Amino acid sequence: MRVAGKGTQHSTAKTDRTYDPPRRFERMTQQLDVMVPMRDGVRICVDVFRPEAQGKFPALLAFAPHNKDLQAPALADFLPPQPAWSGLWQGGAEAGDSRYITSRGYAHVIGNPRSVGKSEDGGSPDWDLYDLIEWIAREPWCDGNVGMVGLSAYAASQWAAAMLQPPHLKAIFPFDANAAYGYDDRPPFTFKRDLYPGGVLHVFTYLLAGLGVFHGTVGRPGELPREEEAWWREAMENPDFKIYSHMYNILTMKGELFASHRRMFNTLVNPYDDEAGESVRRTEEAFGKIRVPAYTGAGWHALTYKQHLLGAQHWFMGIGSPKKLILSGPAHMERPFHSFHDEILRWYDHWLKGIDTGIMDEPPVKVWVMGANRWHYGSDWPLPQTQWTKYYLHSWERLRAEPFAPGSREAYDAPDAFVQMPPTQTRTVQKLRYLTDPLPEDTLVIGPLSLTLYASIDQDDTNWIVILKDVGPDPTVRTARDGERDLSANLPERELTRGWLKASMRALDPKRSRPWKPFHRLTRSSRRPVVPGEINEYVIEIMSTANLFEKGHRICLEITCLDMPSGAGLETTVEYIPYHICSSKTVLHKIYHNDRYPSHLLLPLIPAGKG
C-alpha cells in the first residue's frame, strides 16, 4: 500500500492545486462601526471593507460574537500571522484577511450579533442574518451576490444563515464548521453532542471566555427555575466538580460571573441531551434547510475540542449537494486567519462570479493524509472503498488482526489492569498500551474509528480516554535474548486522534449507531452508574483520522482515564487543547480480551490501489 509524493508536514492548510486570482485592486476603503437596522429596529454593528474603486462587487460576510475589532486590518498590520505554537496566537481572530479579499474584487463585511460588542441590545435575533444579508445585497457597492467566510463561530453563523434561505445568499464556506448536533447556542443552550462526545465534559468554553464581548448584567445569583434549581443543587454536590475549583466557582455563583461563563454553567448543571430527542431531530431537520452550495471542513488539529471535526463531517453527511468536504492537516492555522483564502476564492469565483475555476470538477472529498503528507480524494465520506478491519487487544499488551480462536487457551486470558489516582494526588497518568508488530507493508487508514471495550471498574463511574498513535519505525524483532525482550524506549511516536466515553453514559441509540460510529443516548434517564466489578461493553467513538502507517511502524492504542491542565492555575498552555473533568476517586480499571470478551479496535483501512 505504498504512497508516493511525500513532502514536509502539512501545517498551513494550503491545497495541492494553488488558485491565485489576480490582484485587481491596490487600495481598500473602509467604513467602521456602521449601524444596520434590523426589522425590529435594533441596530447591529458592522465594518465594511471594499475595493477603492467604482462599481459593484460580490460580498463575503463574517458574523460572530467574537470582537469584530480584533479582526480588522488595523490589528493585522501590527500582529502578523502567528503559528499555533506562538504565545500571541489567539483563536478568535477568524473572520478572514480583508486585504486579500478586497484586492481580489470582493467586499468583506464583519459584524457582531445584537447584544455583542457595539451592537445594540433587545429583541429577538432570529432573522438578523437574513436581514443583514439582504441589506448588504441592496448596498450600492454590492452586485447582489453574497457569500460568507470565517471559522468556528463564523462558520456556525453560515449554517444558521443558510437555514433562513435569504434570496441573495448564493454559497457558504464554513470551515472549522462548529457543531451540527447541538448547533443552537441560544437559550436554553442545547447540549452540544459534537462538543462533548461520549458525555465527557471538558473546559474548552471556560478557556475561551477571556476575550468575550457579550453584553449582560452580572449580579448576585438568584433563584433558578424549579427543575434547574434541583439540577444545580445536585451539581454542587458532585465531588468531581469540587476538585476543579474554577468549575465550582462558576457553580456557586450560578453562572453570574461573566456572561461568557453562562454556557459552562449550563453544561455543568445539565450535561445531558433532552429526553425527547428534540435537539437531535432539530439538527436532522436543519440538514434539509441547507440549499445553497456548501464547502465545509476542519483540520485534524480539531480532535482536541472535537466539535469542528465532528461538525464538519456531520454537516457534510447530512446536507444535500452541491457540497464539498476538506479535512486538512494536524497543525492549527495561523491567526489572524488568512490560510485557505485561495481555496475560498476559488469556491466563490465559481458561485458568485461565474468563473470556471475547476473546483466542481474535483471529487467532493479531499483529505490530508498524515505520514504520507499528501492529499487523498474521495467520492463520499466515509470513503466507499473502506475495509472496516478489527484489531484485537491481546495479552502482553499486543494488538493483532487475528481473532480469538473459540475454545482455545487464549480464551481464558486474565484481564489487564491499571489504577489511576485522582489529580488531587498525582500528575502521573496511568495507562495501558497495545501495539501491533512492525507492519509488513504500508497501511493506509482514513476515516472514523471505534473501540469496543469489555471492562470493569471498582467505582460507579470513570472516563474512558483512548489514544491512537503511530509508533516507529521499529526494525527490531522481539525474542527471548538479552537486548531483544523489550520495545525500545526511544521509538518515535506521534499522536493521531483520541476518543472519549463516560462509563455511566454507555447506552447506545441503536437506530443511529453504526459499528464505526456509535451514537450514545446521553440523556439523564439513560445514565447508568456502573456496578463495581461488573464487566460492561463500552463502544467508544474515536475522532476520524487519516494516516499512512509505513512499513516497519506500529499501530498503537493507549487506554487511560485522565488528562491534566498543562499550565498553572487550572489553565492550559494552548487554549484549544482543553483537559477533561475526571474522577475525584482512585479507580481500578480492568480490560478483558478473549473469545467471550473480544475487545477490539475498528480501523478504516483503504486497500492498495484504491487511493
Side-chain angles (χ1 to χ4, degrees), residues 15 173 295 340-347 359 366:
T15 58
F173 197 114
Y295 193 154
F340 256 148
H341 280 47
D342 53 351
E343 189 78 349
I344 292 169
L345 291 197
R346 187 177 173 216
W347 177 251
I359 197 164
K366 182 188 297 186

Side-chain angles (χ1 to χ4, degrees), residues 561-581:
C561 66
L562 177 66
D563 55 13
M564 295 283 189
S566 56
L570 296 163
E571 297 294 333
T572 60
T573 52
V574 180
E575 63 179 341
Y576 272 29
I577 306 182
Y579 55 93
H580 296 75
I581 296 175

Side-chain angles (χ1 to χ4, degrees), residues 78-98:
F78 294 92
L79 181 67
Q82 303 293 298
W85 52 90
S86 163
L88 296 178
W89 188 92
Q90 190 272 105
E94 300 172 317
D97 185 341
S98 297

Side-chain angles (χ1 to χ4, degrees), residues 27 29 62 100 124 248 254 279 300 327 330 491 541 561 569 603:
R27 299 173 65 88
T29 186
Y100 183 93
S124 169
Y248 193 65
K254 296 185 175 179
S279 67
W300 302 128
L327 299 172
L491 289 177
E541 179 179 15
C561 66
L603 287 178

